[in-house]
């Protein structure tokens, strides 16, 4: 049997360069050789403030971004999380995991700080649901950014504990790393994120939009010369340059920085051109799918059917092992 792969993206807005490099590039690298399930995780999207009126549209946008980026529905199954029994498995798994571990997670603390008036049970429960997302498909590999590592550790702990209590059932899922596992925010601090306005360049941005996002990105002034800094605005621009631009360009701007002659306006112009060059074919493919809504519906219906077989088989096995009736 082929090894399984699972990854999900929250339906919280348009995909950005962080999602693309941290997750989608990994999905693309794995789809040829593994049994893959790629998900729009709508149930995770509702743990932070959201608009019910926009949720279905946001789900569709992520599906279109998946297809635009090159996920091939012939090779992988696309699912919408709420249509499969993720929450059933999550509840069962939650009964074997300590609350104190969840309260200590850095991701939970960050979200509490980001939304102090929106600290809900779903947010605390997030890593258990994510463990269920992965374990429902008995996935071995999970292409996600480094920000998800604490959650993957929870998934491994749950898999180990379940196996030791009820018998060997789940593999311990590992993160599949890409060379862009952490894309920094354009604001100079933290990671690029859909839910932080001004932090991202989305996959559908045109050249002018990319240029205007980059124009607002902070740069240090007056400290140029010597080595490129390891963090801050300049470091972040060079991180993007290393992902999108040619070796010649990177070497040239590095030299200019070291000699204290760098002009950030020029760097940002070249970077905007290089980012747009990479995104343009995705945007063209996206338009093709946008114009064929019936095809997208069929892709989702087929994905759902494939996922149901795997998901209900795992759920029945888990219930049986836990002594719960499967009838
Ligand atoms: P967001 O924080 O933008 O809403 P999600 O939580 O939906 O993103 O994450 C979807 C995928 O994209 C996950 O695999 C996550 O690790 C990855 N990801 C998100 N932001 C970044 C980033 N800035 N750099 C690298 N990967 C990222």
């Amino acid at each position: 049997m082929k090894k399984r792969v699972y990854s999900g993206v929250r339906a919280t807005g348009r995909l950005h360069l962080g999602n693309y490099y941290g997750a989608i590039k990994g999905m693309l690298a794995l789809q040829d050789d593994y049994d893959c399930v790629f998900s729009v995780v709508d149930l995770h999207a509702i743990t932070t403030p959201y608009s019910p009126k926009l949720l279905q549209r946001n789900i569709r946008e992520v599906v279109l971004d998946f297809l635009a980026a090159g996920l091939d529905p012939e090779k992988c199954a696309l699912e919408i999380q709420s249509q499969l029994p993720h929450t059933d498995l999550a509840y069962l798994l939650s009964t074997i995991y300590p609350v104190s571990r969840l309260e200590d997670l850095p991701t939970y603390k960050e979200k509490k700080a980001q939304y102090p008036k929106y600290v809900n049970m779903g947010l605390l429960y997030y890593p258990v649901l994510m463990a269920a997302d992965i374990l429902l498909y008995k996935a071995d590999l999970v292409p996600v950014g480094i920000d998800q590592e604490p959650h993957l550790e929870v998934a491994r702990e749950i898999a180990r504990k379940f196996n030791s209590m009820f018998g060997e059932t789940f593999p311990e899922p590992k993160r599949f790393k890409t060379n862009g596992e952490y894309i920094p925010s354009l604001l100079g601090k933290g990671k690029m994120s859909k839910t932080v306005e001004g932090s991202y360049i989305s996959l559908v941005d045109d050249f002018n939009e990319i240029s205007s996002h980059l124009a607002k990105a902070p740069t240090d002034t007056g400290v140029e010369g010597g080595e490129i800094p390891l963090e801050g605005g300049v470091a972040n621009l060079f991180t993007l340059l290393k992902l999108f631009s040619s070796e010649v360009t990177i070497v040239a701007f590095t030299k200019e920085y070291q000699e204290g002659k760098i002009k950030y306006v020029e760097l940002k112009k070249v970077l905007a051109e290089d980012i747009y060059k990479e995104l343009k074919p995705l945007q063209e493919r996206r338009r093709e799918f946008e114009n064929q809504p019936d095809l997208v519906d069929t892709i989702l219906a087929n994905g759902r059917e494939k996922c149901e077989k795997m998901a209900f088989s795992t759920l029945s096995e888990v219930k049986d092992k836990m002594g719960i009736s499967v009838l």
Side-chain angles (χ1 to χ4, degrees):
M1 209 173 81
K2 272 193 199 171
K3 286 197 168 192
R4 297 239 181 104
V5 172
Y6 175 89
S7 187
V9 172
R10 292 188 302 155
T12 41
R14 293 295 179 82
L15 261 64
H16 54 73
L17 299 183
N19 305 134
Y20 184 52
Y21 264 90
I24 308 271
K25 288 257 185 186
M27 299 175 179
L28 291 169
L30 296 171
Q31 68 174 350
D32 287 334
D33 301 319
Y34 294 87
D35 267 342
C36 298
V37 175
F38 298 132
S39 181
V40 185
V41 287
D42 50 348
L43 297 175
H44 288 297
I46 63 173
T47 55
T48 43
Y50 78 105
S51 159
K53 288 200 187 86
L54 294 180
L55 187 58
Q56 291 309 313
R57 198 159 91 200
N58 282 338
I59 292 172
R60 192 71 171 194
E61 300 293 4
V62 177
V63 172
L64 287 168
D65 280 336
F66 275 173
L67 294 168
L71 294 185
D72 182 347
E74 297 291 320
K75 297 179 185 161
C76 56
L78 300 187
E79 65 144 36
I80 292 165
Q81 184 192 29
S82 60
Q83 295 178 348
L84 279 298
H86 292 249
T87 46
D88 296 45
L89 181 62
Y91 176 76
L92 297 172
L93 299 179
S94 76
T95 64
I96 64 165
Y97 201 70
V99 174
S100 55
R101 264 289 281 138
L102 297 173
E103 283 168 335
D104 277 347
L105 282 176
T107 40
Y108 176 61
K109 289 180 182 160
E110 275 160 29
K111 282 281 184 287
K112 264 170 69 172
Q114 197 180 352
Y115 304 105
K117 296 203 174 123
Y118 216 83
V119 183
N120 56 70
M121 273 292 291
L123 208 52
L124 183 69
Y125 196 76
Y126 192 123
V128 179
L129 181 55
M130 181 165 154
D133 296 340
I134 299 164
L135 299 179
L136 190 61
Y137 295 106
K138 298 193 176 184
D140 298 276
L141 278 178
V142 185
V144 287
I146 200 166
D147 59 318
Q148 295 300 321
E149 193 57 71
H151 292 161
L152 268 177
E153 188 52 37
V154 172
R156 284 190 286 271
E157 284 171 11
I158 291 180
R160 271 199 296 278
K161 185 131 184 234
F162 189 94
N163 292 346
S164 76
M165 287 173 76
F166 304 105
E168 199 60 29
T169 309
F170 297 117
E172 285 186 32
K174 280 188 272 312
R175 188 166 72 89
F176 179 79
K177 298 174 190 170
T178 63
N179 67 343
E181 61 182 11
Y182 181 86
I183 306 295
S185 159
L186 293 181
L187 300 171
K189 255 198 199 151
K191 70 159 198 151
M192 191 174 277
S193 175
K194 285 187 239 96
T195 46
V196 181
E197 209 37 58
S199 78
Y200 60 86
I201 291 174
S202 107
L203 299 187
V204 292
D205 284 343
D206 62 22
F207 176 72
N208 289 335
E209 286 164 325
I210 296 170
S211 302
S212 87
H213 291 310
L214 286 177
K216 290 182 203 132
T219 50
D220 308 16
T221 47
V223 291
E224 290 74 10
E227 290 312 307
I228 310 279
L230 295 176
E231 52 187 34
V234 173
N236 294 351
L237 286 176
F238 272 90
T239 298
L240 292 175
L241 207 63
K242 281 180 194 146
L243 290 171
F244 289 95
S245 299
S246 69
E247 196 54 34
V248 179
T249 307
I250 301 163
V251 170
F253 281 114
T254 305
K255 190 161 171 279
E256 284 183 16
Y257 181 90
Q258 286 166 340
E259 291 170 356
K261 294 182 195 153
I262 193 155
K263 292 199 177 62
Y264 293 114
V265 178
E266 271 171 32
L267 184 152
K268 288 179 175 184
K269 181 169 168 286
V270 172
L271 185 56
E273 282 164 3
D274 289 341
I275 292 175
Y276 183 59
K277 206 178 344 159
E278 175 140 0
L279 296 188
K280 198 163 166 262
L282 274 70
Q283 296 175 1
E284 283 162 7
R285 201 157 40 221
R286 193 183 211 279
R287 274 191 287 277
E288 283 170 28
F289 283 106
E290 273 169 354
N291 292 333
Q292 300 178 81
D294 292 348
L295 173 64
V296 177
D297 289 342
T298 307
I299 288 169
L300 288 174
N302 292 343
R304 183 176 181 168
E305 207 181 306
K306 274 198 237 170
C307 289
E308 273 173 350
K309 287 200 190 85
M310 296 184 260
F312 282 104
S313 150
T314 306
L315 188 63
S316 301
E317 184 186 349
V318 167
K319 281 184 164 177
D320 188 41
K321 286 184 169 162
M322 293 181 83
I324 292 164
S325 166
V326 289
L327 294 175

